[in-house]
Amino acid sequence: MAFEQELLAIVPRLRRFARGLARDAADADDLCQAAIERALKSRDQWQAGTRLDSWMYRIARNIWIDNLRASGRRGIHADIDDGVTQIADNSHVRMEASMELNDVDRAMQKLPAEQREAVMLVLVEGYAYKEAAEILEVPMGTLTSRLARGREALIRELGEAA
């Protein structure tokens, strides 16, 4: 499969990972786009036969960290659209599902970044602990600890939301 085709195939998962990091849909889309641009420019650095998705997650995470550092120097930016409300769907089932997803999303946003990354990679994306530790460039024990604390915090937070 050509590099571009393989890259296109993982975009939905990359977007979901970026959303977990950025906590905001627009910022996540920007992060995803920046990661894809960097990957296309640096495609000769990717080794064929290795996992492209792991490489892309690492790129996205590095860009996210760079952006956090830069925003710390620039100060906090509030998006003008933050106050805009969305029109709710009339379907009762969809509304309940949406509310549950909102609870999970809010609980995920409350996690520290390190725990959120671990939860996103292992519980959402389904990576093995070893692969997630490699993506995050941390020892396996560190990943396991972050994941355990993240799970506990989610359970506690979602228990309070119920």
Side-chain angles (χ1 to χ4, degrees):
M1 180 183 293
F3 178 83
E4 290 86 1
Q5 289 174 320
E6 201 170 336
L7 184 58
L8 279 175
I10 64 169
V11 167
R13 292 175 38 225
L14 180 64
R15 255 187 109 224
R16 185 172 53 219
F17 181 68
R19 177 73 166 99
L21 293 176
R23 301 181 185 180
D24 175 79
D27 290 343
D29 286 343
D30 292 345
L31 175 58
C32 193
Q33 180 177 344
I36 292 169
E37 287 174 7
R38 186 172 294 175
L40 290 171
K41 289 177 186 173
S42 307
R43 68 186 297 172
D44 57 323
Q45 294 178 12
W46 178 65
Q47 299 172 356
T50 61
R51 291 189 62 161
L52 181 60
D53 54 354
S54 296
W55 187 63
M56 289 301 301
Y57 289 154
R58 204 166 310 137
I59 289 172
R61 182 175 179 265
N62 289 339
I63 292 170
W64 175 67
I65 289 169
D66 291 345
N67 289 343
L68 280 179
R69 288 179 182 146
S71 69
R73 290 188 297 268
R74 287 191 305 263
I76 298 172
H77 170 74
D79 189 2
I80 197 165
D81 292 331
D82 284 347
V84 177
T85 57
Q86 296 180 349
I87 298 172
D89 185 14
N90 290 334
S91 169
H92 179 55
V93 173
R94 293 184 88 182
M95 284 175 47
E96 284 183 17
S98 177
M99 288 170 54
E100 288 175 13
L101 283 175
N102 286 337
D103 289 344
V104 172
D105 190 41
R106 274 192 294 279
M108 286 287 290
Q109 289 179 23
K110 290 182 179 181
L111 293 177
E114 297 83 13
Q115 292 175 17
R116 195 171 58 254
E117 291 172 337
V119 168
M120 286 295 300
L121 287 174
V122 175
L123 301 180
V124 177
E125 295 300 327
Y127 277 92
Y129 285 28
K130 182 179 179 194
E131 291 173 313
E134 289 172 1
I135 291 169
L136 297 176
E137 299 173 331
V138 297
M140 181 95 82
T142 301
L143 174 81
T144 305
S145 175
R146 290 176 181 178
L147 187 58
R149 287 192 314 269
R151 280 181 176 153
E152 288 173 9
L154 284 174
I155 289 168
R156 201 171 37 252
E157 186 67 33
L158 291 173
E160 292 174 8

